[in-house]
Amino acid sequence: MSAWMSALRPSQPAASDDLDPVSLPETVARARAVLGDEPTAWAIQRSKQICDTYEASARADPTITVDGLDRVACEAALLTVLVNLRTGRADAPAPPEGFESVRRAVRQGARIETILRVVWFSHTTVQMALLEVLSREVPAERLADELRAVSEGLFEFVDGLVRELATAYDQERAAWHGRLAALRRQTMEHIVEHGTAREGSEQLLGIRLRGDHLAAVIRSVDPAPPTGWDGSVTRYVAAVSATIEAVNSLVLDQPDGSTVIWSLSAAPRDPVSAVTDRVPHPPGSIVAFGPVGRDVAGLQSSLLGARQAALVGGQHQSEGAWTYDDVGLQAVLLADPEAAGRYVRHVLKGLTDGDAKSAMLRETLWAYLRHGRSRLAAAEELHIAPNTVAYRVRQADERLERPALDDPTPMVVALSLARDFPALLG
């Protein structure tokens, strides 16, 4: 059936690069051994023309993408199908260049639909070219049989190729996403540990490292997240992006939750407050924000701050949003819970009992000191009279072994920890 193949010759004059093969040497060598030099040169030239035509179509039609286009794979496939037609082997394996093309396409984010569109475009173009040669070279009495044989051979090859490439794509995508996630986590940990970024980090993470960043840690309160929790986190990340006008965002899944990084076009005024005030946190979740930071060193600071704020949120064991600006000092102390408890009990010695009156005195003293010793401000917060504030502060001071008002900073820290984490009182 293949005598007509001797009529396959490259068009003249041909540019030198039109006839330079790009597929594997063994693929080209096998084609020359089976087909001859002229048909092999025709296939090499034709594959370049197919790619040029497809690229031209993509420039004219924005719905067409060239992400899945690969001249190496196109050339190897055309050489292989011609060899199959010559030898009559319908079960010959797909060329290895096709699988390498799939691997590259997955890393570039090309969709399988795009890759298969290129395959079918190439198939249609080659089929039309071969049918033209057949119509010219094959006698009329044999033409119908040759046309049918070539059409069936082409379809069988392409059908098998599509199935193999689709399977390879799914396998490679699953493997690559696993590797990509691991590489991204390693890249982020390098930034956290060293405050620097390795070469290629921006491309790997998919975010720019210059400019302002905001990091957050999102965890489920329950070890077994509620149904739909992943979807609610995705919607939350999108809502935050819209609120702070983020350029892009990155979500990194961790064993105990997710780390999110937003890249900002320009740092808005107090973006963390804008988020906590306007975007409800996902139900059943702990959301902890670091401070906004600039460039790689600032991203490191934001990531560390988010982790420390998450430490405080986790101690509460209830859903809510925490910010590093609000709980950063608590986070430092809670990094060593035993030392934090010892510090609280030392500073508040005499006022650590678990009864209601002791708790009331601690709450009043905390409000009084936090408002700069203003009885009026503390009274407004606690909804009591200013004289009652003064009376309770005096009672608390009498109970404490160390004066409450001489050095208020340690007292505010200890009262704040005791208020949020009563277990530290012993």
Side-chain angles (χ1 to χ4, degrees):
M1 126 179 147
S2 56
W4 53 266
M5 285 191 183
S6 59
L8 298 177
R9 297 183 180 88
S11 59
Q12 298 296 334
S16 59
D17 62 340
D18 281 1
L19 302 180
D20 290 336
V22 293
S23 49
L24 293 174
E26 52 266 35
T27 301
V28 178
R30 182 165 184 264
R32 284 179 174 149
V34 174
L35 303 174
D37 290 341
E38 291 294 306
T40 299
W42 177 88
I44 292 170
Q45 184 185 63
R46 179 65 63 169
S47 66
K48 183 178 187 303
Q49 292 170 351
I50 290 172
C51 292
D52 290 344
T53 301
Y54 191 86
E55 288 179 346
S57 299
R59 287 193 295 270
D61 184 350
T63 65
I64 299 176
T65 174
V66 296
D67 288 346
L69 185 62
D70 189 327
R71 184 187 166 194
V72 175
C74 182
E75 178 184 296
L78 181 49
L79 290 171
T80 302
V81 74
L82 289 178
V83 168
N84 289 356
L85 290 174
R86 168 77 80 175
T87 60
R89 284 195 61 195
D91 60 343
E97 293 92 335
F99 299 107
E100 182 58 34
S101 175
V102 165
R103 283 189 281 273
R104 284 195 297 270
V106 168
R107 286 159 175 74
Q108 294 168 0
R111 298 181 304 167
I112 185 61
E113 294 86 352
T114 303
I115 299 171
L116 298 185
R117 184 175 187 175
V118 172
V119 171
W120 285 111
F121 176 86
S122 301
H123 165 71
T124 302
T125 305
V126 169
Q127 185 175 43
M128 291 176 62
L130 293 181
L131 293 183
E132 181 182 344
V133 174
L134 284 166
S135 299
R136 187 177 64 245
E137 298 294 329
V138 177
E141 64 273 14
R142 291 180 25 234
L143 182 58
D145 290 339
E146 289 282 0
L147 289 174
R148 183 173 58 255
V150 169
S151 295
E152 289 176 353
L154 286 173
F155 179 80
E156 192 168 355
F157 172 79
V158 172
D159 185 53
L161 179 64
V162 164
R163 287 198 305 271
E164 291 188 55
L165 292 184
T167 300
Y169 180 91
D170 289 340
Q171 294 172 344
E172 182 63 25
R173 188 170 184 270
W176 171 245
H177 279 200
R179 290 196 297 271
L180 179 61
L183 288 171
R184 283 177 166 175
R185 284 193 293 268
Q186 291 171 11
T187 300
M188 182 185 70
E189 290 305 321
H190 180 87
I191 291 174
V192 168
E193 184 175 349
H194 302 286
T196 60
R198 297 188 182 101
E199 185 178 352
S201 294
E202 281 194 344
Q203 182 178 5
L204 183 63
L205 294 173
I207 60 172
R208 68 181 190 184
L209 295 178
R210 289 169 299 194
D212 295 303
H213 309 281
L214 173 63
V217 171
I218 305 177
R219 295 173 180 164
S220 171
V221 175
D222 227 329
T227 302
W229 188 75
D230 288 340
S232 65
V233 170
T234 299
R235 291 189 292 273
Y236 177 76
V237 171
V240 172
S241 296
T243 299
I244 62 178
E245 298 181 356
V247 175
N248 50 29
S249 62
L250 170 66
V251 180
L252 294 172
D253 292 329
Q254 308 278 39
D256 57 350
S258 298
T259 296
V260 188
I261 300 169
W262 290 274
S263 294
L264 312 178
S265 55
R269 183 177 180 182
D270 200 2
V272 176
S273 294
V275 172
T276 55
D277 291 345
R278 294 160 54 187
V279 184
H281 63 268
S285 68
I286 294 169
V287 181
F289 288 97
V292 173
R294 179 171 286 273
D295 299 336
V296 176
L299 176 57
Q300 177 196 39
S301 176
S302 191
L303 286 165
L304 287 170
R307 291 181 180 184
Q308 290 172 325
L311 174 67
V312 177
Q315 291 290 330
H316 280 269
Q317 297 183 334
S318 60
E319 66 178 73
W322 282 263
T323 71
Y324 182 75
D325 286 341
D326 291 337
V327 300
L329 182 56
Q330 289 186 4
V332 171
L333 294 172
L334 287 175
D336 186 344
E338 186 177 339
R342 189 162 52 247
Y343 178 81
V344 168
R345 292 188 295 273
H346 170 70
V347 174
L348 299 183
K349 192 173 183 179
L351 198 59
T352 60
D353 292 344
D355 60 284
K357 183 174 182 180
S358 295
M360 178 187 66
L361 293 179
R362 288 194 298 268
E363 183 74 10
T364 304
L365 180 59
W366 179 75
Y368 175 73
L369 293 175
R370 191 166 56 86
H371 286 293
R373 304 188 189 186
S374 169
R375 289 183 296 168
L376 182 60
E380 289 179 353
E381 178 181 322
L382 300 173
H383 305 291
I384 58 178
N387 287 340
T388 303
V389 171
Y391 175 71
R392 291 180 183 177
V393 168
R394 186 166 60 252
Q395 281 191 308
D397 193 40
E398 290 172 355
R399 283 199 188 190
L400 289 164
E401 289 195 5
R402 60 185 293 165
L405 306 181
D406 288 356
D407 187 6
T409 299
M411 192 64 60
V412 170
V413 172
L415 288 168
S416 175
L417 286 170
R419 182 177 184 269
D420 289 337
F421 308 104
L424 294 177
L425 292 166

